[in-house]
Amino acid sequence: MAVSLLCCNPSGAQILHKKKKAPAASADSSVQPDKVLYDRATEDIRRGRHEVGRLNLQTLINTYPDSEYLAKAKLLIADSYFKEGGTANMTQAIAGYKDFIVFFPFLSEASYAQLQVAMGHFRQMEKPDRDRTEAKEAEGEFQTFLQKYPKDPLADKAMQHLREVQEVIAEGDYRVAYYYYVKGDKRAAAARLMGVTNRYPLYSNSDRALFMLGDIFESAEKKELAANYYSRIVRNYPLSKYVPDAKSKLVAMKVPVPQADPKSEAWMVAEQNAPRPRTSLAKKPLGAMKSGPTGELRTAARVGIPTMEPEPDTASATDILSGGNSSRIVVGGGSGTGSTTGTGTGIVATVTPGTRAETSGTTDGAAPADGSAAPPTDSSAPGVTQPESSVTPAGESSSAAPAEGATASGTDAAAGTPGTDAAKTDAAKTDAAKIDTKADSDVKTKESTSKKKKGMRKLVPW
């Protein structure tokens, strides 16, 4: 009878329905609130509601600072900026990943955060002929990842991206060098090409750059250096199309032709057989409209260890070539270079391979402080920059007059040279003249004051 009443009474059915839902509500109340916020933010970010998701994650961080989801929340905020894209958002993402590495360096996600920092710069890379600030930053971050996490599962991905970044950087330097090469400025071209071939051996046009260097030095009658670059093509790039020409050049110079390196030959074979990404014909016209590099990513090496050392802080564009083991580098150079007024600010440095540069305080248009002549350089060698009036011939005085009031060097003063004594005597005379002038001015001031007082006494009797 009770069963029939419940079945016939709709209100009774509603009461049973409510009683069945009561356990579900109690189950929801037992869930941790920080987990609820994290799951809700994850769902919002997955659906593209990045701002709402970041707001929930920030609420979790501020309300529950001891939550087990704190690290995940910080990482997810950085991921949301990264997925949203854009210059401003990518900057926020990089900053968020770096903060995560600082606060949680021992978590397993730290390697992922480091890779994302590098990818943030990688996504913002420009074409090789544009600004390469982001490319340089990406190169440094990928190198940091491979040095800190060499056995991480993401290491292969980071290494391939590093090869692509270095391909873009090397291509930019090569294009500048090729411009100078075609223009006829072989010195400027040699400086760029040497940096490309020495630092980026995996660059796709390294063999061509070496052949250009050989041609530059051969035209400059530096056959020993030219033979060195031709030999590097035969030895390190045995499958290159420039090998026959390089061998004929070596034979003409009567230089022994080296044997091909087996490791280099195996690397080139593996490189030729490596799969490469392809772009459909429909997407090729759109590649020119993109701001980032496209073709360089396809031509980058797929095999081999990229350069792992950071780029040295040297002026690669002003490296000077000369005979022997030293080279002169002119850094800077202000207005008036080569004039006799000595207003330039250039610094001449002598660089020896394997040592640090030692700069001297010689300005443009003036001789060295000690009066000695600067070491001569071969002005015919590519890249030699010889500042005018920077070298004083032996037995002749410098054409630049010393500045007024300048004192002699510490060595001459300590030795008590006649020039130093004369300078001291002149300084003493100058000081005495200043004292006499001051005394005369004091006397004149007193006389004028006394005259004023006498005049006042005539006008106003006391």
Side-chain angles (χ1 to χ4, degrees):
M1 193 67 181
V3 175
S4 61
L5 289 174
L6 289 174
C7 293
C8 297
N9 188 2
S11 61
Q14 293 177 358
I15 293 172
L16 290 175
H17 184 66
K18 289 181 180 180
K19 287 182 178 179
K20 290 180 180 179
K21 283 187 176 182
S26 62
D28 292 338
S29 62
S30 64
V31 179
Q32 298 177 359
D34 54 348
K35 186 179 185 307
V36 173
L37 286 172
Y38 180 79
D39 293 341
R40 190 180 302 169
T42 303
E43 184 65 20
D44 290 334
I45 293 173
R46 188 182 68 83
R47 292 180 177 273
R49 299 190 291 266
H50 299 283
E51 295 183 0
V52 178
R54 288 196 292 267
L55 182 61
N56 290 329
L57 292 172
Q58 196 62 44
T59 303
L60 187 155
I61 293 172
N62 297 334
T63 309
Y64 307 99
D66 298 331
S67 174
E68 60 179 333
Y69 296 96
L70 182 64
K72 294 182 179 180
K74 287 182 175 293
L75 190 61
L76 190 56
I77 289 176
D79 285 338
S80 67
Y81 281 118
F82 188 87
K83 292 178 180 178
E84 194 170 1
T87 304
N89 291 328
M90 201 63 70
T91 303
Q92 293 286 344
I94 292 173
Y97 289 128
K98 288 186 176 180
D99 289 342
F100 182 87
I101 296 172
V102 171
F103 288 105
F104 308 100
F106 300 107
L107 292 182
S108 59
E109 292 85 356
S111 60
Y112 166 78
Q114 177 62 43
L115 181 62
Q116 288 297 99
V117 171
M119 290 300 299
H121 294 293
F122 183 83
R123 294 281 184 89
Q124 300 180 84
M125 280 197 313
E126 299 286 344
K127 293 181 180 297
D129 55 349
R130 304 294 176 85
D131 182 23
R132 56 180 185 177
T133 302
E134 294 296 335
K136 288 289 185 181
E137 293 290 338
E139 181 186 22
E141 297 296 341
F142 281 124
Q143 289 172 346
T144 301
F145 176 88
L146 293 173
Q147 290 171 0
K148 292 176 64 176
Y149 314 101
K151 298 182 180 179
D152 193 86
L154 299 173
D156 293 338
K157 179 181 178 181
M159 187 170 291
Q160 179 55 38
H161 284 311
L162 180 57
R163 296 190 194 102
E164 295 171 353
V165 171
Q166 292 182 350
E167 177 77 12
V168 174
I169 297 174
E171 178 66 20
D173 287 339
Y174 174 79
R175 291 185 183 183
V176 176
Y178 185 76
Y179 167 78
Y180 285 120
Y181 182 82
V182 174
K183 186 180 178 181
D185 191 352
K186 301 298 180 65
R187 300 177 180 180
R192 295 279 183 173
L193 292 171
M194 289 175 66
V196 171
T197 55
N198 294 333
R199 178 164 174 77
Y200 303 112
L202 299 183
Y203 173 51
S204 58
N205 286 327
S206 289
D207 52 348
R208 185 177 182 183
L210 288 171
F211 193 84
M212 291 167 64
L213 279 171
D215 179 67
I216 290 172
F217 284 105
E218 185 179 4
S219 61
E221 298 183 357
K222 304 289 184 180
K223 294 186 178 181
E224 294 181 358
L225 296 176
N228 180 27
Y229 289 109
Y230 291 139
S231 300
R232 286 176 60 180
I233 296 175
V234 178
R235 182 172 56 253
N236 298 334
Y237 303 94
L239 303 183
S240 172
K241 62 181 181 180
Y242 296 98
V243 170
D245 294 335
K247 288 183 177 180
S248 62
K249 294 281 187 180
L250 293 174
V251 172
M253 294 179 184
K254 299 180 180 180
V255 176
V257 179
Q259 297 293 328
D261 186 8
K263 293 182 180 180
S264 299
E265 186 174 1
W267 167 72
M268 294 196 73
V269 171
E271 186 66 31
Q272 292 178 358
N273 297 332
R276 296 181 180 275
R278 296 182 180 179
T279 304
S280 61
L281 295 177
K283 293 183 179 180
K284 279 186 177 181
L286 300 176
M289 301 177 62
K290 294 183 179 180
S291 60
T294 54
E296 292 75 21
L297 303 183
R298 293 192 299 271
T299 58
R302 292 294 185 272
V303 183
I305 299 176
T307 303
M308 296 300 300
E309 297 179 359
E311 185 176 4
D313 189 11
T314 57
S316 60
T318 56
D319 286 349
I320 308 305
L321 310 178
S322 66
N325 294 327
S326 64
S327 55
R328 290 170 58 83
I329 298 177
V330 178
V331 182
S335 60
T337 302
S339 63
T340 58
T341 58
T343 57
T345 58
I347 299 175
V348 178
T350 301
V351 180
T352 303
T355 61
R356 295 176 60 88
E358 298 178 358
T359 58
S360 61
T362 304
T363 57
D364 295 340
D370 57 356
S372 62
T377 57
D378 187 0
S379 58
S380 64
V384 173
T385 303
Q386 184 70 19
E388 298 180 3
S389 303
S390 62
V391 179
T392 304
E396 296 183 5
S397 59
S398 173
S399 60
E404 185 178 355
T407 60
S409 62
T411 306
D412 295 338
T417 57
T420 306
D421 296 337
K424 290 182 178 179
T425 305
D426 295 340
K429 291 180 180 180
T430 304
D431 295 339
K434 290 181 179 179
I435 293 173
D436 295 338
T437 304
K438 184 177 181 182
D440 294 338
S441 62
D442 292 341
V443 172
K444 292 180 180 179
T445 303
K446 289 181 180 179
E447 290 178 357
S448 62
T449 305
S450 62
K451 290 180 180 180
K452 287 182 180 179
K453 288 182 179 180
K454 290 180 181 180
M456 291 296 293
R457 287 175 183 175
K458 291 181 181 180
L459 295 174
V460 184
W462 295 98

